[in-house]
Amino acid sequence: MAHDRNGITGTVSRRRFLGAAGAAGLGSALMASGLGLAASGAPGKPKTKAAPKPKETASALPLRTFGRTGVQVTALSQGGMTDFTENQLLLNQSWKAGINYWDTSTGYNGGKSELGYGQFFAKHPGVREKLFLVTKSGERNPEGLEKSLNLSLERMKIKHVDLFFFWYIEDIKEVDRPELKAWAEAAKKAGKIRFIGLSSHKNMASVMEGAAKLGWLDGLMVTYNYRIMHDDDMKRAVDACVAAGLGITAMKTQGGGPINDTQADRELAGRLVAKGFTPEQAKIKAVLEDTRIAAVCSQMPSMEILKANIAAVLDRTKLDSADWKALDRHAAASCHGTCAACGRCERALKGSVPVADVMRHLMYARGYGEHAMARAFVRDLPAVVRGRMASADFSRAERVCPQTLPIGRLMKEAILELA
């Protein structure tokens, strides 16, 4: 899946903001806080040169330029891993709040994410043209990609998407193929897509550096959070993408899930809540303080999460050195429970077990209560892979894990809990 859920715990940031939101609705709350949002936030047409960063005003969500496309997108993107056929109100509030970057995928909720977008666009003519709309596909051949794209357009009742991602790329070789470049160019010429890119959940640094060298991609979405943004490989990869003019969207900004009841968690939560925002909001702010990142894409399936994320993006308070140190201490103290999706363990296992994917779904189940989705993932694994998860020797993989994770134990627990 493409997005993390930015879970909310403890006291939500900016009490006056959320108090007004609960009493009068999101739009009224934004106005009451002095931070009323424009309803359009329309992305502009592509330009040959990146447009200068617009002046950020108190009347709108901050806008950032998406790489060399010149398109202005809101720094907060509406993630699409939700059944929007059952949650049209959330899309309406996202639109009213001024979020102009909406993300989805052909595979989210069995297509109900895209179908929900289609319902919304049909009910609200003119909205789609003011959005930067993204979808993606896990297909790896032109025929499959074309079929997937056409299905997405049909579901959403639209003629084109602004950005189309090759979904879940683990090795740039999956994309560095002349037939895929030719397909992307043909889809652009046909007016079905404006821009092309990729998403990556693991081996991100390697994939990003490879993407920067291709020359024909326009943007990418990658796992990027307070745990890994200071990694030397990631810093070099981000620099390379920026130099190549690629727009960068950050996902999984929570770095592994919500705050839990440990000493490190209590220390971080206590410090940040005292300053007026939650740890979850601080993690979003940490990513957006890197101005090379165009947007944070967050799964926001509830009004509470939507409101809190908007508050975090609108808030102009910068994290100070003590806040960063608290985040760093938390990252170090809790790394044993979080997979960085670096790929080292899987290379040590010669790809026999998809460790990062299992870890991610174990996190979805334990951290967010997404048990059905996690069970479906494990159930669909080949029986031979599930057998390896239960009985393989993971000692070599554990030795190379920078997070010192007990991989063998966690694989066994995944089988017991999710199979």
Side-chain angles (χ1 to χ4, degrees):
M1 299 297 174
H3 318 298
D4 62 339
R5 176 176 295 173
N6 290 313
I8 302 302
T9 61
T11 304
V12 178
S13 172
R14 306 298 176 240
R15 292 175 178 84
R16 184 161 69 100
F17 172 88
L18 289 181
L26 181 59
S28 299
L30 294 170
M31 296 305 296
S33 67
L35 297 170
L37 303 183
S40 61
K45 295 181 179 180
K47 303 174 184 178
T48 55
K49 294 183 179 180
K53 183 178 180 181
K55 182 178 180 181
E56 296 176 4
T57 69
S59 62
L61 285 169
L63 297 173
R64 295 188 178 186
T65 304
F66 194 80
R68 62 167 174 260
T69 70
V71 176
Q72 301 293 295
V73 298
T74 46
L76 179 63
S77 166
Q78 173 64 58
M81 202 174 70
T82 297
D83 179 358
F84 286 121
T85 64
E86 299 291 336
N87 207 340
Q88 292 281 291
L89 178 61
L90 185 68
L91 290 181
N92 190 55
Q93 294 299 337
S94 177
W95 165 245
K96 285 184 176 180
I99 298 175
N100 76 357
Y101 181 169
W102 289 16
D103 176 272
T104 185
S105 168
T106 185
Y108 289 163
N109 273 279
K112 291 182 179 179
S113 173
E114 290 183 334
L115 287 169
Y117 279 8
Q119 291 174 8
F120 187 82
F121 296 151
K123 293 177 183 176
H124 303 276
V127 169
R128 189 272 166 268
E129 288 73 19
K130 297 178 180 180
L131 295 175
F132 187 70
L133 183 62
V134 179
T135 194
K136 20 186 143 48
S137 172
E139 297 289 341
R140 296 292 187 266
N141 62 79
E143 295 77 16
L145 288 164
E146 187 70 12
K147 182 178 180 180
S148 179
L149 174 58
N150 288 337
L151 178 59
S152 293
L153 298 178
E154 178 183 349
R155 284 171 172 168
M156 291 188 281
K157 299 180 175 64
I158 57 176
K159 294 182 178 179
H160 78 281
V161 294
D162 295 288
L163 177 60
F164 186 88
F165 282 139
F166 299 111
W167 189 18
Y168 209 92
I169 300 300
E170 301 178 36
D171 189 319
I172 198 60
K173 292 179 182 178
E174 297 174 56
V175 174
D176 188 10
R177 294 157 49 193
E179 65 269 27
L180 296 190
K181 179 182 178 182
W183 175 83
E185 291 173 346
K188 286 184 177 182
K189 187 175 181 180
K192 294 182 179 181
I193 65 175
R194 294 173 65 196
F195 308 112
I196 190 73
L198 63 82
S199 71
S200 179
H201 296 66
K202 59 184 179 181
N203 303 325
M204 286 86 63
S206 175
V207 170
M208 292 170 73
E209 292 198 70
K213 296 174 182 177
L214 286 187
W216 54 274
L217 297 180
D218 301 301
L220 63 166
M221 176 186 288
V222 295
T223 298
Y224 193 72
N225 52 59
Y226 76 108
R227 293 183 183 277
I228 63 176
M229 62 191 297
H230 301 301
D231 177 80
D232 288 340
D233 289 343
M234 283 298 293
K235 288 192 288 187
R236 284 192 297 270
V238 172
D239 285 340
C241 288
V242 171
L246 300 181
I248 303 174
T249 302
M251 63 176 168
K252 308 213 175 301
T253 55
Q254 292 302 296
I259 295 296
N260 297 303
D261 189 25
T262 68
Q263 180 59 39
D265 295 333
R266 288 193 294 273
E267 177 190 350
L268 179 65
R271 173 178 180 78
L272 297 174
V273 169
K275 295 190 69 170
F277 43 81
T278 67
E280 290 76 22
Q281 291 172 316
K283 293 173 183 180
I284 293 176
K285 292 170 71 66
V287 170
L288 288 178
E289 285 193 11
D290 184 343
T291 57
R292 300 170 301 174
I293 303 301
V296 162
C297 188
S298 173
Q299 182 194 3
M300 299 182 285
S302 72
M303 288 297 297
E304 181 184 24
I305 296 174
L306 175 65
K307 294 171 190 175
N309 285 3
I310 290 172
V313 173
L314 285 173
D315 186 78
R316 303 301 179 87
T317 306
K318 297 290 185 181
L319 300 180
D320 59 31
S321 59
D323 297 329
W324 279 105
K325 288 178 181 177
L327 285 168
D328 289 343
R329 286 195 298 272
H330 182 267
S334 60
C335 68
H336 63 280
T338 304
C339 176
C342 65
R344 292 184 178 92
C345 63
E346 293 183 5
R347 289 192 289 273
L349 296 168
K350 301 186 185 300
S352 61
V353 177
V355 175
D357 291 337
V358 174
M359 294 288 197
R360 183 161 51 90
H361 284 84
L362 193 60
M363 178 271 291
Y364 284 146
R366 291 177 171 179
Y368 304 137
E370 297 281 4
H371 299 287
M373 179 177 65
R375 289 193 185 105
F377 169 78
V378 174
R379 182 187 64 236
D380 291 342
L381 290 173
V384 65
V385 174
R386 295 198 300 271
R388 293 183 191 128
M389 289 169 57
S391 61
D393 179 4
F394 290 94
S395 58
R396 184 177 180 186
E398 292 174 348
R399 285 196 296 272
V400 300
C401 177
Q403 306 291 82
T404 66
L405 290 171
I407 297 172
R409 175 170 62 80
L410 289 167
M411 292 300 100
K412 292 180 176 63
E413 290 176 0
I415 288 293
L416 290 172
E417 294 178 30
L418 305 175

mmCIF file with all atom_site columns, all heavy atoms in Angstrom, residues 259-280:
data_model
loop_
_atom_site.group_PDB
_atom_site.id
_atom_site.type_symbol
_atom_site.label_atom_id
_atom_site.label_alt_id
_atom_site.label_comp_id
_atom_site.label_asym_id
_atom_site.label_entity_id
_atom_site.label_seq_id
_atom_site.pdbx_PDB_ins_code
_atom_site.Cartn_x
_atom_site.Cartn_y
_atom_site.Cartn_z
_atom_site.occupancy
_atom_site.B_iso_or_equiv
_atom_site.pdbx_formal_charge
_atom_site.auth_seq_id
_atom_site.auth_comp_id
_atom_site.auth_asym_id
_atom_site.auth_atom_id
_atom_site.pdbx_PDB_model_num
ATOM 1   N N   . ILE A 1 259 ? 2.444  6.497  18.415 1.00 0.00 ? 259 ILE A N   1
ATOM 2   C CA  . ILE A 1 259 ? 3.220  6.454  19.645 1.00 0.00 ? 259 ILE A CA  1
ATOM 3   C C   . ILE A 1 259 ? 2.657  5.379  20.583 1.00 0.00 ? 259 ILE A C   1
ATOM 4   O O   . ILE A 1 259 ? 1.452  5.211  20.715 1.00 0.00 ? 259 ILE A O   1
ATOM 5   C CB  . ILE A 1 259 ? 3.169  7.826  20.340 1.00 0.00 ? 259 ILE A CB  1
ATOM 6   C CG1 . ILE A 1 259 ? 3.861  8.880  19.449 1.00 0.00 ? 259 ILE A CG1 1
ATOM 7   C CG2 . ILE A 1 259 ? 3.815  7.782  21.703 1.00 0.00 ? 259 ILE A CG2 1
ATOM 8   C CD1 . ILE A 1 259 ? 5.326  8.625  19.230 1.00 0.00 ? 259 ILE A CD1 1
ATOM 9   N N   . ASN A 1 260 ? 3.551  4.651  21.225 1.00 0.00 ? 260 ASN A N   1
ATOM 10  C CA  . ASN A 1 260 ? 3.151  3.607  22.166 1.00 0.00 ? 260 ASN A CA  1
ATOM 11  C C   . ASN A 1 260 ? 3.589  4.003  23.574 1.00 0.00 ? 260 ASN A C   1
ATOM 12  O O   . ASN A 1 260 ? 4.157  5.066  23.796 1.00 0.00 ? 260 ASN A O   1
ATOM 13  C CB  . ASN A 1 260 ? 3.769  2.275  21.756 1.00 0.00 ? 260 ASN A CB  1
ATOM 14  C CG  . ASN A 1 260 ? 3.258  1.828  20.396 1.00 0.00 ? 260 ASN A CG  1
ATOM 15  O OD1 . ASN A 1 260 ? 2.069  1.693  20.193 1.00 0.00 ? 260 ASN A OD1 1
ATOM 16  N ND2 . ASN A 1 260 ? 4.176  1.626  19.460 1.00 0.00 ? 260 ASN A ND2 1
ATOM 17  N N   . ASP A 1 261 ? 3.330  3.130  24.526 1.00 0.00 ? 261 ASP A N   1
ATOM 18  C CA  . ASP A 1 261 ? 3.599  3.457  25.922 1.00 0.00 ? 261 ASP A CA  1
ATOM 19  C C   . ASP A 1 261 ? 4.967  2.950  26.357 1.00 0.00 ? 261 ASP A C   1
ATOM 20  O O   . ASP A 1 261 ? 5.091  2.007  27.127 1.00 0.00 ? 261 ASP A O   1
ATOM 21  C CB  . ASP A 1 261 ? 2.496  2.880  26.820 1.00 0.00 ? 261 ASP A CB  1
ATOM 22  C CG  . ASP A 1 261 ? 2.615  3.374  28.254 1.00 0.00 ? 261 ASP A CG  1
ATOM 23  O OD1 . ASP A 1 261 ? 3.193  4.460  28.454 1.00 0.00 ? 261 ASP A OD1 1
ATOM 24  O OD2 . ASP A 1 261 ? 2.135  2.676  29.163 1.00 0.00 ? 261 ASP A OD2 1
ATOM 25  N N   . THR A 1 262 ? 6.014  3.570  25.845 1.00 0.00 ? 262 THR A N   1
ATOM 26  C CA  . THR A 1 262 ? 7.370  3.290  26.301 1.00 0.00 ? 262 THR A CA  1
ATOM 27  C C   . THR A 1 262 ? 7.959  4.575  26.862 1.00 0.00 ? 262 THR A C   1
ATOM 28  O O   . THR A 1 262 ? 7.408  5.665  26.673 1.00 0.00 ? 262 THR A O   1
ATOM 29  C CB  . THR A 1 262 ? 8.251  2.778  25.147 1.00 0.00 ? 262 THR A CB  1
ATOM 30  O OG1 . THR A 1 262 ? 8.464  3.853  24.220 1.00 0.00 ? 262 THR A OG1 1
ATOM 31  C CG2 . THR A 1 262 ? 7.603  1.602  24.431 1.00 0.00 ? 262 THR A CG2 1
ATOM 32  N N   . GLN A 1 263 ? 9.104  4.471  27.529 1.00 0.00 ? 263 GLN A N   1
ATOM 33  C CA  . GLN A 1 263 ? 9.729  5.649  28.094 1.00 0.00 ? 263 GLN A CA  1
ATOM 34  C C   . GLN A 1 263 ? 10.074 6.658  27.005 1.00 0.00 ? 263 GLN A C   1
ATOM 35  O O   . GLN A 1 263 ? 9.852  7.867  27.158 1.00 0.00 ? 263 GLN A O   1
ATOM 36  C CB  . GLN A 1 263 ? 10.995 5.263  28.873 1.00 0.00 ? 263 GLN A CB  1
ATOM 37  C CG  . GLN A 1 263 ? 11.736 6.445  29.506 1.00 0.00 ? 263 GLN A CG  1
ATOM 38  C CD  . GLN A 1 263 ? 10.871 7.210  30.483 1.00 0.00 ? 263 GLN A CD  1
ATOM 39  O OE1 . GLN A 1 263 ? 10.094 6.621  31.237 1.00 0.00 ? 263 GLN A OE1 1
ATOM 40  N NE2 . GLN A 1 263 ? 10.987 8.538  30.478 1.00 0.00 ? 263 GLN A NE2 1
ATOM 41  N N   . ALA A 1 264 ? 10.619 6.175  25.883 1.00 0.00 ? 264 ALA A N   1
ATOM 42  C CA  . ALA A 1 264 ? 10.968 7.077  24.777 1.00 0.00 ? 264 ALA A CA  1
ATOM 43  C C   . ALA A 1 264 ? 9.726  7.756  24.218 1.00 0.00 ? 264 ALA A C   1
ATOM 44  O O   . ALA A 1 264 ? 9.746  8.950  23.894 1.00 0.00 ? 264 ALA A O   1
ATOM 45  C CB  . ALA A 1 264 ? 11.695 6.301  23.676 1.00 0.00 ? 264 ALA A CB  1
ATOM 46  N N   . ASP A 1 265 ? 8.631  7.006  24.111 1.00 0.00 ? 265 ASP A N   1
ATOM 47  C CA  . ASP A 1 265 ? 7.390  7.580  23.593 1.00 0.00 ? 265 ASP A CA  1
ATOM 48  C C   . ASP A 1 265 ? 6.836  8.632  24.548 1.00 0.00 ? 265 ASP A C   1
ATOM 49  O O   . ASP A 1 265 ? 6.388  9.701  24.126 1.00 0.00 ? 265 ASP A O   1
ATOM 50  C CB  . ASP A 1 265 ? 6.345  6.482  23.393 1.00 0.00 ? 265 ASP A CB  1
ATOM 51  C CG  . ASP A 1 265 ? 6.739  5.484  22.317 1.00 0.00 ? 265 ASP A CG  1
ATOM 52  O OD1 . ASP A 1 265 ? 7.489  5.875  21.411 1.00 0.00 ? 265 ASP A OD1 1
ATOM 53  O OD2 . ASP A 1 265 ? 6.308  4.324  22.404 1.00 0.00 ? 265 ASP A OD2 1
ATOM 54  N N   . ARG A 1 266 ? 6.864  8.336  25.842 1.00 0.00 ? 266 ARG A N   1
ATOM 55  C CA  . ARG A 1 266 ? 6.324  9.280  26.813 1.00 0.00 ? 266 ARG A CA  1
ATOM 56  C C   . ARG A 1 266 ? 7.141  10.565 26.837 1.00 0.00 ? 266 ARG A C   1
ATOM 57  O O   . ARG A 1 266 ? 6.599  11.665 26.965 1.00 0.00 ? 266 ARG A O   1
ATOM 58  C CB  . ARG A 1 266 ? 6.291  8.642  28.203 1.00 0.00 ? 266 ARG A CB  1
ATOM 59  C CG  . ARG A 1 266 ? 5.213  7.559  28.355 1.00 0.00 ? 266 ARG A CG  1
ATOM 60  C CD  . ARG A 1 266 ? 5.009  7.175  29.810 1.00 0.00 ? 266 ARG A CD  1
ATOM 61  N NE  . ARG A 1 266 ? 6.181  6.519  30.371 1.00 0.00 ? 266 ARG A NE  1
ATOM 62  C CZ  . ARG A 1 266 ? 6.418  5.214  30.306 1.00 0.00 ? 266 ARG A CZ  1
ATOM 63  N NH1 . ARG A 1 266 ? 5.561  4.422  29.699 1.00 0.00 ? 266 ARG A NH1 1
ATOM 64  N NH2 . ARG A 1 266 ? 7.491  4.694  30.859 1.00 0.00 ? 266 ARG A NH2 1
ATOM 65  N N   . GLU A 1 267 ? 8.451  10.450 26.701 1.00 0.00 ? 267 GLU A N   1
ATOM 66  C CA  . GLU A 1 267 ? 9.307  11.639 26.694 1.00 0.00 ? 267 GLU A CA  1
ATOM 67  C C   . GLU A 1 267 ? 8.993  12.518 25.489 1.00 0.00 ? 267 GLU A C   1
ATOM 68  O O   . GLU A 1 267 ? 8.831  13.733 25.613 1.00 0.00 ? 267 GLU A O   1
ATOM 69  C CB  . GLU A 1 267 ? 10.784 11.240 26.657 1.00 0.00 ? 267 GLU A CB  1
ATOM 70  C CG  . GLU A 1 267 ? 11.726 12.447 26.586 1.00 0.00 ? 267 GLU A CG  1
ATOM 71  C CD  . GLU A 1 267 ? 13.162 12.049 26.318 1.00 0.00 ? 267 GLU A CD  1
ATOM 72  O OE1 . GLU A 1 267 ? 13.470 10.846 26.378 1.00 0.00 ? 267 GLU A OE1 1
ATOM 73  O OE2 . GLU A 1 267 ? 13.977 12.946 26.021 1.00 0.00 ? 267 GLU A OE2 1
ATOM 74  N N   . LEU A 1 268 ? 8.902  11.885 24.320 1.00 0.00 ? 268 LEU A N   1
ATOM 75  C CA  . LEU A 1 268 ? 8.625  12.648 23.111 1.00 0.00 ? 268 LEU A CA  1
ATOM 76  C C   . LEU A 1 268 ? 7.241  13.278 23.179 1.00 0.00 ? 268 LEU A C   1
ATOM 77  O O   . LEU A 1 268 ? 7.064  14.466 22.899 1.00 0.00 ? 268 LEU A O   1
ATOM 78  C CB  . LEU A 1 268 ? 8.726  11.741 21.881 1.00 0.00 ? 268 LEU A CB  1
ATOM 79  C CG  . LEU A 1 268 ? 8.431  12.409 20.532 1.00 0.00 ? 268 LEU A CG  1
ATOM 80  C CD1 . LEU A 1 268 ? 9.472  13.462 20.213 1.00 0.00 ? 268 LEU A CD1 1
ATOM 81  C CD2 . LEU A 1 268 ? 8.396  11.362 19.424 1.00 0.00 ? 268 LEU A CD2 1
ATOM 82  N N   . ALA A 1 269 ? 6.249  12.487 23.561 1.00 0.00 ? 269 ALA A N   1
ATOM 83  C CA  . ALA A 1 269 ? 4.883  12.995 23.609 1.00 0.00 ? 269 ALA A CA  1
ATOM 84  C C   . ALA A 1 269 ? 4.751  14.140 24.605 1.00 0.00 ? 269 ALA A C   1
ATOM 85  O O   . ALA A 1 269 ? 4.132  15.168 24.312 1.00 0.00 ? 269 ALA A O   1
ATOM 86  C CB  . ALA A 1 269 ? 3.921  11.868 23.962 1.00 0.00 ? 269 ALA A CB  1
ATOM 87  N N   . GLY A 1 270 ? 5.356  13.990 25.770 1.00 0.00 ? 270 GLY A N   1
ATOM 88  C CA  . GLY A 1 270 ? 5.255  15.021 26.784 1.00 0.00 ? 270 GLY A CA  1
ATOM 89  C C   . GLY A 1 270 ? 5.836  16.342 26.322 1.00 0.00 ? 270 GLY A C   1
ATOM 90  O O   . GLY A 1 270 ? 5.239  17.406 26.527 1.00 0.00 ? 270 GLY A O   1
ATOM 91  N N   . ARG A 1 271 ? 6.985  16.298 25.690 1.00 0.00 ? 271 ARG A N   1
ATOM 92  C CA  . ARG A 1 271 ? 7.625  17.531 25.230 1.00 0.00 ? 271 ARG A CA  1
ATOM 93  C C   . ARG A 1 271 ? 6.789  18.231 24.164 1.00 0.00 ? 271 ARG A C   1
ATOM 94  O O   . ARG A 1 271 ? 6.572  19.446 24.214 1.00 0.00 ? 271 ARG A O   1
ATOM 95  C CB  . ARG A 1 271 ? 9.017  17.231 24.678 1.00 0.00 ? 271 ARG A CB  1
ATOM 96  C CG  . ARG A 1 271 ? 9.651  18.447 24.044 1.00 0.00 ? 271 ARG A CG  1
ATOM 97  C CD  . ARG A 1 271 ? 11.051 18.231 23.532 1.00 0.00 ? 271 ARG A CD  1
ATOM 98  N NE  . ARG A 1 271 ? 11.522 19.469 22.965 1.00 0.00 ? 271 ARG A NE  1
ATOM 99  C CZ  . ARG A 1 271 ? 11.964 20.508 23.679 1.00 0.00 ? 271 ARG A CZ  1
ATOM 100 N NH1 . ARG A 1 271 ? 12.010 20.406 24.996 1.00 0.00 ? 271 ARG A NH1 1
ATOM 101 N NH2 . ARG A 1 271 ? 12.339 21.621 23.102 1.00 0.00 ? 271 ARG A NH2 1
ATOM 102 N N   . LEU A 1 272 ? 6.317  17.467 23.188 1.00 0.00 ? 272 LEU A N   1
ATOM 103 C CA  . LEU A 1 272 ? 5.635  18.076 22.050 1.00 0.00 ? 272 LEU A CA  1
ATOM 104 C C   . LEU A 1 272 ? 4.227  18.528 22.392 1.00 0.00 ? 272 LEU A C   1
ATOM 105 O O   . LEU A 1 272 ? 3.781  19.592 21.943 1.00 0.00 ? 272 LEU A O   1
ATOM 106 C CB  . LEU A 1 272 ? 5.628  17.096 20.876 1.00 0.00 ? 272 LEU A CB  1
ATOM 107 C CG  . LEU A 1 272 ? 7.031  16.748 20.344 1.00 0.00 ? 272 LEU A CG  1
ATOM 108 C CD1 . LEU A 1 272 ? 6.942  15.670 19.283 1.00 0.00 ? 272 LEU A CD1 1
ATOM 109 C CD2 . LEU A 1 272 ? 7.724  17.988 19.790 1.00 0.00 ? 272 LEU A CD2 1
ATOM 110 N N   . VAL A 1 273 ? 3.504  17.729 23.185 1.00 0.00 ? 273 VAL A N   1
ATOM 111 C CA  . VAL A 1 273 ? 2.161  18.137 23.577 1.00 0.00 ? 273 VAL A CA  1
ATOM 112 C C   . VAL A 1 273 ? 2.210  19.420 24.391 1.00 0.00 ? 273 VAL A C   1
ATOM 113 O O   . VAL A 1 273 ? 1.354  20.291 24.261 1.00 0.00 ? 273 VAL A O   1
ATOM 114 C CB  . VAL A 1 273 ? 1.453  17.008 24.352 1.00 0.00 ? 273 VAL A CB  1
ATOM 115 C CG1 . VAL A 1 273 ? 0.156  17.509 24.989 1.00 0.00 ? 273 VAL A CG1 1
ATOM 116 C CG2 . VAL A 1 273 ? 1.148  15.840 23.420 1.00 0.00 ? 273 VAL A CG2 1
ATOM 117 N N   . ALA A 1 274 ? 3.246  19.581 25.203 1.00 0.00 ? 274 ALA A N   1
ATOM 118 C CA  . ALA A 1 274 ? 3.403  20.803 25.985 1.00 0.00 ? 274 ALA A CA  1
ATOM 119 C C   . ALA A 1 274 ? 3.570  22.018 25.079 1.00 0.00 ? 274 ALA A C   1
ATOM 120 O O   . ALA A 1 274 ? 3.225  23.141 25.450 1.00 0.00 ? 274 ALA A O   1
ATOM 121 C CB  . ALA A 1 274 ? 4.604  20.674 26.921 1.00 0.00 ? 274 ALA A CB  1
ATOM 122 N N   . LYS A 1 275 ? 4.092  21.816 23.877 1.00 0.00 ? 275 LYS A N   1
ATOM 123 C CA  . LYS A 1 275 ? 4.280  22.916 22.928 1.00 0.00 ? 275 LYS A CA  1
ATOM 124 C C   . LYS A 1 275 ? 3.039  23.148 22.073 1.00 0.00 ? 275 LYS A C   1
ATOM 125 O O   . LYS A 1 275 ? 2.988  24.115 21.304 1.00 0.00 ? 275 LYS A O   1
ATOM 126 C CB  . LYS A 1 275 ? 5.476  22.631 22.013 1.00 0.00 ? 275 LYS A CB  1
ATOM 127 C CG  . LYS A 1 275 ? 6.804  22.589 22.747 1.00 0.00 ? 275 LYS A CG  1
ATOM 128 C CD  . LYS A 1 275 ? 7.970  22.538 21.789 1.00 0.00 ? 275 LYS A CD  1
ATOM 129 C CE  . LYS A 1 275 ? 8.123  23.838 21.024 1.00 0.00 ? 275 LYS A CE  1
ATOM 130 N NZ  . LYS A 1 275 ? 9.385  23.884 20.260 1.00 0.00 ? 275 LYS A NZ  1
ATOM 131 N N   . GLY A 1 276 ? 2.038  22.269 22.187 1.00 0.00 ? 276 GLY A N   1
ATOM 132 C CA  . GLY A 1 276 ? 0.796  22.507 21.484 1.00 0.00 ? 276 GLY A CA  1
ATOM 133 C C   . GLY A 1 276 ? 0.517  21.604 20.316 1.00 0.00 ? 276 GLY A C   1
ATOM 134 O O   . GLY A 1 276 ? -0.463 21.794 19.613 1.00 0.00 ? 276 GLY A O   1
ATOM 135 N N   . PHE A 1 277 ? 1.390  20.619 20.029 1.00 0.00 ? 277 PHE A N   1
ATOM 136 C CA  . PHE A 1 277 ? 1.071  19.680 18.961 1.00 0.00 ? 277 PHE A CA  1
ATOM 137 C C   . PHE A 1 277 ? 1.493  18.277 19.352 1.00 0.00 ? 277 PHE A C   1
ATOM 138 O O   . PHE A 1 277 ? 2.314  18.069 20.242 1.00 0.00 ? 277 PHE A O   1
ATOM 139 C CB  . PHE A 1 277 ? 1.721  20.074 17.628 1.00 0.00 ? 277 PHE A CB  1
ATOM 140 C CG  . PHE A 1 277 ? 3.142  20.543 17.701 1.00 0.00 ? 277 PHE A CG  1
ATOM 141 C CD1 . PHE A 1 277 ? 4.204  19.634 17.771 1.00 0.00 ? 277 PHE A CD1 1
ATOM 142 C CD2 . PHE A 1 277 ? 3.442  21.904 17.690 1.00 0.00 ? 277 PHE A CD2 1
ATOM 143 C CE1 . PHE A 1 277 ? 5.515  20.063 17.820 1.00 0.00 ? 277 PHE A CE1 1
ATOM 144 C CE2 . PHE A 1 277 ? 4.755  22.335 17.752 1.00 0.00 ? 277 PHE A CE2 1
ATOM 145 C CZ  . PHE A 1 277 ? 5.798  21.432 17.823 1.00 0.00 ? 277 PHE A CZ  1
ATOM 146 N N   . THR A 1 278 ? 0.888  17.308 18.700 1.00 0.00 ? 278 THR A N   1
ATOM 147 C CA  . THR A 1 278 ? 1.123  15.911 19.029 1.00 0.00 ? 278 THR A CA  1
ATOM 148 C C   . THR A 1 278 ? 2.401  15.410 18.362 1.00 0.00 ? 278 THR A C   1
ATOM 149 O O   . THR A 1 278 ? 2.905  16.019 17.406 1.00 0.00 ? 278 THR A O   1
ATOM 150 C CB  . THR A 1 278 ? -0.041 15.035 18.547 1.00 0.00 ? 278 THR A CB  1
ATOM 151 O OG1 . THR A 1 278 ? -0.053 15.033 17.116 1.00 0.00 ? 278 THR A OG1 1
ATOM 152 C CG2 . THR A 1 278 ? -1.373 15.539 19.076 1.00 0.00 ? 278 THR A CG2 1
ATOM 153 N N   . PRO A 1 279 ? 2.930  14.276 18.811 1.00 0.00 ? 279 PRO A N   1
ATOM 154 C CA  . PRO A 1 279 ? 4.079  13.682 18.123 1.00 0.00 ? 279 PRO A CA  1
ATOM 155 C C   . PRO A 1 279 ? 3.798  13.401 16.650 1.00 0.00 ? 279 PRO A C   1
ATOM 156 O O   . PRO A 1 279 ? 4.678  13.565 15.803 1.00 0.00 ? 279 PRO A O   1
ATOM 157 C CB  . PRO A 1 279 ? 4.318  12.379 18.903 1.00 0.00 ? 279 PRO A CB  1
ATOM 158 C CG  . PRO A 1 279 ? 3.820  12.673 20.278 1.00 0.00 ? 279 PRO A CG  1
ATOM 159 C CD  . PRO A 1 279 ? 2.615  13.554 20.061 1.00 0.00 ? 279 PRO A CD  1
ATOM 160 N N   . GLU A 1 280 ? 2.564  12.988 16.349 1.00 0.00 ? 280 GLU A N   1
ATOM 161 C CA  . GLU A 1 280 ? 2.227  12.709 14.956 1.00 0.00 ? 280 GLU A CA  1
ATOM 162 C C   . GLU A 1 280 ? 2.330  13.963 14.104 1.00 0.00 ? 280 GLU A C   1
ATOM 163 O O   . GLU A 1 280 ? 2.829  13.941 12.971 1.00 0.00 ? 280 GLU A O   1
ATOM 164 C CB  . GLU A 1 280 ? 0.806  12.122 14.857 1.00 0.00 ? 280 GLU A CB  1
ATOM 165 C CG  . GLU A 1 280 ? 0.661  10.724 15.416 1.00 0.00 ? 280 GLU A CG  1
ATOM 166 C CD  . GLU A 1 280 ? 0.642  10.680 16.935 1.00 0.00 ? 280 GLU A CD  1
ATOM 167 O OE1 . GLU A 1 280 ? 0.333  11.706 17.571 1.00 0.00 ? 280 GLU A OE1 1
ATOM 168 O OE2 . GLU A 1 280 ? 0.952  9.608  17.495 1.00 0.00 ? 280 GLU A OE2 1
#
